[in-house]
Amino acid sequence: MQPHQHRDFMYTAQKQFPETEFTPVSTHTTREVKRRVQLHREDNYYRVKSAYFHMDDEVKEQNKVIRRVRLPEILQDNHIIIHKNDTSISFGTKSIASLPKLCSVPKKRSNKSIRKYKLLQASKEELYNGPANDRFVDMPIKRHIQDERLTQSVPVFSTSSRADKSAMSSTKPGSTAKFTESKPDSDQIFDLSTNASTVVHWYTDLWTDVKRNEFLHKLILKLDPRQHYFISSFMLVRRHRDFLTLLPEKIVLCILNILDPKELCKCAEVSKSWYSLAHNNKLWKWKCDAVNIKVTIPADPVWKKVYRDNVILERNWHHGTYRTVDMKGNSAPVEAVIFDRNILVSGSQDKTVKIWDIKTGRCAHTFEGHQGGVWCLSFFTPNLILSGSHDGTIKIWNVKERKMARSILAHDGPIWAMVRHGKILVSVSQDKTAKVWDISRCLLLKTLTGHNKPIFAVDMNEDGTLVITGSADRTVKIWDVETGEVKKTIWVSSTTSVMAVSYHKGFIAAGYDNVVCLHRETGKLIKTFNEHEKRVESVQLKIEDPEKITGAIISSGQGGLVKIWNTKMPQSIQTYKLSKEGGTVKSIKFDELRIVGGLKDRIRILDFQAPNSD
């Protein structure tokens, strides 16, 4: 037997047969069990001193029992004959006047043991008719023998005559009532059903709560462990209530809103009703309002899908998972790209402006009219595109009507960059000037002069009151749009031209040579990033928290690499090889969904919306 079962067996044997000497054998397993229970202070079981053996001969010697108790043989029930008028018992054909000596009461015995031996001396009828405590408290019923107990015959009162009832009522205290073990007839069954209905009627219709509780209390005291187990199991099921389905929907949604999305998905697996509540569109709308949603929201959104797509998008950005899309159609290198949610516009050295469907990757239309390469682009309205060219002109293209709307003779040299805020457009050129336009009227407002070399980059602040320019004279200048004066000059580089600038929330990112630097608007240098191997051509900055200076910078250049920087870290967090051939990436734009760059003869999109392997 297993060690724990062996210990229980010893305790039971010593309790039931105290006159029997039983010396258990000490083994390695039992000693380990004893040490373990003593260590954890669980040594609260009945134990006797065990023998400790070293040799096999000692075990054999111990098996020679000096005093052996011989227990009587117990025959089958069909061989036992109980005489009603006699206390003798017959085994087969032999008759014995009394029970064996096993049932004799020892001299030194506790009251509890005496009561057990009296039960053994009693007849079969008296054993069945005894108090419930004697039958079930002293000998608890195990679950594996419940079925066996249920198959035993139960004595039934004989209610066929009034004489029996009077005999029962006249029984003196201490005397034993007589029962018959005959099976109940059909009249008794119907009579029992009628009595049960009467009791149910009293309980439901006539009794108060106090009487009901008193009746239940007395009834439970009369039950044995089998009925206790049945009632406990039944009540466990009856007490179950789905509290969510019992509450109003508004309160349920407020409760579920406390859970995070992962816990909501677990709740949806509980039942159909919980699934319906956990997928409530209003609930997921609240979840979307609590986070920064970067994906495109449709006209009739399913907010759980929107939330899921947003989580996948953030995970793809973090792990660098994307889908590559190439748009081919230019015969010369692409110098400028811009895009919104639906269309993408490219300008190339082949003097064309192309409109692309960003979803399908197909070229929708090609505008021709410039006499030189197109180096910069900007949206004016969703249907009007602005382009600046090497020929010194700014042209306005109508996408809907597919024709040129206006042409402006803007500069005396090539236009390298331009930026728009509302109706204000600023263009910079080889002629060392920056010009401010009211593009709605095609009217020149101011000419910003101060750089002594060509201006290659330009940007504006969020409200359109400041203009930031980067020049070949190695400086970055901050201009006041209203007065046209220089507010601040920042010496960014000591050797080469400033090729790219980007302004956001009081910070300026500039690119020169193979370095990207981050400055405050006041001119203070925050950090430099110098992992590029070749000249940086494009920079885009996005600050999330100006106080903590947290955000991201995306830069690209002649090495064909696109690097993503964390403003708090000197090393790049992601590097993408936009051009496998190692060509120059002269223009780059990005938003929350994708990175778009212009290469030699194509446009390459890194789409982070693509579903990952999950």
Side-chain angles (χ1 to χ4, degrees):
M1 300 181 67
Q2 294 294 332
H4 294 284
Q5 293 174 331
H6 180 240
R7 181 181 59 207
D8 291 341
F9 164 72
M10 291 161 48
Y11 171 74
T12 306
Q14 188 70 22
K15 181 181 178 182
Q16 297 295 332
F17 305 99
E19 75 281 359
T20 304
E21 293 184 359
F22 180 82
T23 304
V25 178
S26 175
T27 63
H28 174 73
T29 304
T30 57
R31 289 192 293 272
E32 284 296 319
V33 172
K34 180 178 180 180
R35 183 191 63 79
R36 188 163 55 251
V37 296
Q38 289 177 347
L39 179 63
H40 296 285
R41 298 183 179 179
E42 297 178 356
D43 193 16
N44 54 354
Y45 300 98
Y46 180 86
R47 292 183 175 276
V48 294
K49 187 175 180 180
S50 59
Y52 196 97
F53 297 114
H54 295 277
M55 306 297 292
D56 293 341
D57 294 338
E58 296 179 0
V59 178
K60 295 178 181 179
E61 184 67 25
Q62 178 65 21
N63 289 334
K64 297 178 180 179
V65 182
I66 300 175
R67 174 186 168 190
R68 181 174 300 173
V69 178
R70 179 177 179 82
L71 298 178
E73 295 182 0
I74 300 177
L75 303 180
Q76 300 295 330
D77 290 342
N78 54 3
H79 290 164
I80 299 176
I81 303 173
I82 301 176
H83 301 279
K84 295 183 179 180
N85 299 326
D86 192 3
T87 58
S88 62
I89 303 176
S90 298
F91 292 90
T93 58
K94 296 181 180 180
S95 178
I96 303 175
S98 61
L99 292 175
K101 292 184 178 181
L102 174 66
C103 302
S104 61
V105 182
K107 295 181 180 180
K108 296 183 180 180
R109 189 72 56 84
S110 61
N111 295 331
K112 194 172 183 180
S113 300
I114 295 173
R115 184 171 57 182
K116 292 179 183 178
Y117 278 90
K118 286 183 177 181
L119 287 174
L120 291 176
Q121 291 179 344
S123 64
K124 187 175 181 181
E125 293 182 357
E126 292 176 347
L127 183 62
Y128 278 121
N129 301 334
N133 291 336
D134 291 338
R135 286 181 288 149
F136 297 109
V137 177
D138 292 338
M139 301 181 65
I141 301 174
K142 304 297 182 180
R143 291 185 60 184
H144 65 278
I145 63 172
Q146 286 184 9
D147 295 338
E148 180 181 353
R149 290 294 302 268
L150 290 173
T151 56
Q152 296 177 358
S153 60
V154 180
V156 180
F157 276 106
S158 178
T159 58
S160 57
S161 63
R162 296 182 180 180
D164 295 336
K165 294 182 180 180
S166 60
M168 290 173 54
S169 60
S170 61
T171 304
K172 296 181 180 180
S175 62
T176 304
K178 295 183 179 180
F179 298 92
T180 60
E181 299 187 21
S182 60
K183 296 182 180 180
D185 55 11
S186 58
D187 295 337
Q188 294 174 347
I189 295 177
F190 286 116
D191 189 21
L192 179 63
S193 177
T194 304
N195 292 337
S197 301
T198 304
V199 173
V200 171
H201 170 66
W202 292 345
Y203 184 87
T204 56
D205 300 332
L206 301 180
W207 291 347
T208 62
D209 289 339
V210 176
K211 290 185 177 181
R212 292 174 183 174
N213 293 339
E214 183 180 358
F215 170 75
L216 293 176
H217 177 72
K218 293 182 178 179
L219 178 62
I220 290 175
L221 293 178
K222 296 296 183 180
L223 302 180
D224 59 47
R226 293 171 298 171
Q227 280 77 42
H228 289 165
Y229 178 78
F230 170 76
I231 293 175
S232 176
S233 302
F234 182 77
M235 294 303 298
L236 184 64
V237 178
R238 295 286 295 177
R239 286 198 303 264
H240 174 73
R241 293 292 184 274
D242 188 354
F243 71 97
L244 281 184
T245 56
L246 298 177
L247 294 174
E249 182 177 337
K250 184 177 181 180
I251 298 178
V252 172
L253 296 181
C254 291
I255 294 174
L256 293 179
N257 191 34
I258 302 174
L259 305 178
D260 59 38
K262 289 185 178 180
E263 293 171 340
L264 281 178
C265 294
K266 289 291 184 181
C267 289
E269 300 176 359
V270 174
S271 62
K272 291 183 179 180
S273 57
W274 282 43
Y275 179 88
S276 177
L277 293 171
H279 284 75
N280 188 280
N281 207 35
K282 184 178 180 181
L283 176 63
W284 285 99
K285 174 65 167 60
W286 294 345
K287 294 297 181 183
C288 291
D289 292 340
V291 297
N292 183 20
I293 298 297
K294 301 176 181 179
V295 298
T296 305
I297 300 176
D300 188 14
V302 178
W303 290 106
K304 183 180 180 181
K305 184 178 182 301
V306 172
Y307 191 95
R308 182 197 63 190
D309 293 345
N310 193 70
V311 171
I312 293 176
L313 177 66
E314 292 182 355
R315 185 163 49 191
N316 289 345
W317 274 101
H318 180 72
H319 295 290
T321 305
Y322 58 86
R323 177 172 60 96
T324 303
V325 179
D326 284 342
M327 299 179 178
K328 299 180 180 180
N330 294 99
S331 58
V334 177
E335 300 289 346
V337 290
I338 57 172
F339 64 93
D340 61 8
R341 297 289 184 178
N342 298 316
I343 66 171
L344 184 147
V345 185
S346 64
S348 173
Q349 290 186 16
D350 61 6
K351 308 175 185 179
T352 63
V353 175
K354 290 184 177 292
I355 310 298
W356 306 81
D357 188 333
I358 200 170
K359 295 181 179 179
T360 62
R362 297 179 181 179
C363 181
H365 189 69
T366 301
F367 293 106
E368 298 179 353
H370 281 291
Q371 300 302 314
V374 179
W375 287 81
C376 51
L377 295 166
S378 179
F379 282 106
F380 182 36
T381 67
N383 291 321
L384 295 177
I385 306 297
L386 307 175
S387 63
S389 174
H390 194 273
D391 59 11
T393 63
I394 297 175
K395 294 186 181 296
I396 304 175
W397 309 91
N398 192 314
V399 177
K400 188 175 182 179
E401 298 180 2
R402 297 188 176 184
K403 66 178 182 179
M404 183 178 62
R406 293 287 188 275
S407 181
I408 304 172
L409 297 174
H411 291 271
D412 295 335
I415 299 175
W416 299 120
M418 62 184 183
V419 63
R420 182 192 65 83
H421 184 277
K423 297 180 180 180
I424 302 300
L425 177 74
V426 181
S427 59
V428 297
S429 172
Q430 184 76 17
D431 61 8
K432 309 173 188 178
T433 64
K435 293 189 177 183
V436 182
W437 305 84
D438 183 352
I439 198 64
S440 63
R441 297 181 293 167
C442 298
L443 177 65
L444 177 63
L445 299 178
K446 285 181 177 61
T447 300
L448 309 178
T449 58
H451 286 289
N452 53 25
K453 285 188 178 181
I455 305 172
F456 293 128
V458 64
D459 201 0
M460 296 181 73
N461 66 344
E462 290 80 5
D463 56 6
T465 59
L466 298 178
V467 174
I468 299 91
T469 57
S471 171
D473 61 7
R474 300 169 294 170
T475 64
V476 171
K477 291 184 181 292
I478 302 175
W479 309 78
D480 189 303
V481 174
E482 186 176 354
T483 62
E485 297 178 354
V486 178
K487 296 186 63 176
K488 186 70 178 179
T489 299
I490 304 173
W491 288 88
V492 175
S493 172
S494 59
T495 56
T496 60
S497 305
V498 178
M499 301 301 298
V501 293
S502 180
Y503 179 95
H504 194 226
K505 295 183 179 180
F507 294 85
I508 300 171
Y512 63 92
D513 196 15
N514 62 345
V515 179
V516 177
C517 60
L518 179 64
H519 289 260
R520 286 187 182 271
E521 186 179 335
T522 58
K524 182 181 178 181
L525 178 64
I526 304 298
K527 197 180 292 293
T528 58
F529 311 91
N530 53 5
E531 285 188 6
H532 282 281
E533 298 178 357
K534 296 184 179 181
R535 188 176 69 185
V536 176
E537 295 280 350
S538 179
V539 170
Q540 193 168 350
L541 171 67
K542 185 175 181 181
I543 296 294
E544 295 179 357
D545 190 344
E547 296 182 359
K548 298 180 180 179
I549 318 178
T550 57
I553 301 174
I554 291 186
S555 60
S556 64
Q558 293 183 353
L561 300 179
V562 177
K563 289 185 175 290
I564 302 179
W565 311 83
N566 188 325
T567 55
K568 287 290 187 180
M569 301 173 61
Q571 297 84 17
S572 61
I573 57 176
Q574 290 289 348
T575 300
Y576 306 107
K577 195 168 185 178
L578 202 64
S579 174
K580 297 180 181 179
E581 300 82 7
T584 302
V585 182
K586 292 188 176 181
S587 178
I588 186 170
K589 296 291 181 182
F590 78 98
D591 62 1
E592 293 84 358
L593 306 179
R594 57 183 67 88
I595 299 174
V596 180
L599 304 177
K600 291 181 179 180
D601 59 346
R602 71 187 67 183
I603 302 164
R604 180 157 290 172
I605 302 175
L606 306 183
D607 188 2
F608 291 87
Q609 285 188 110
N612 57 9
S613 59
D614 295 339

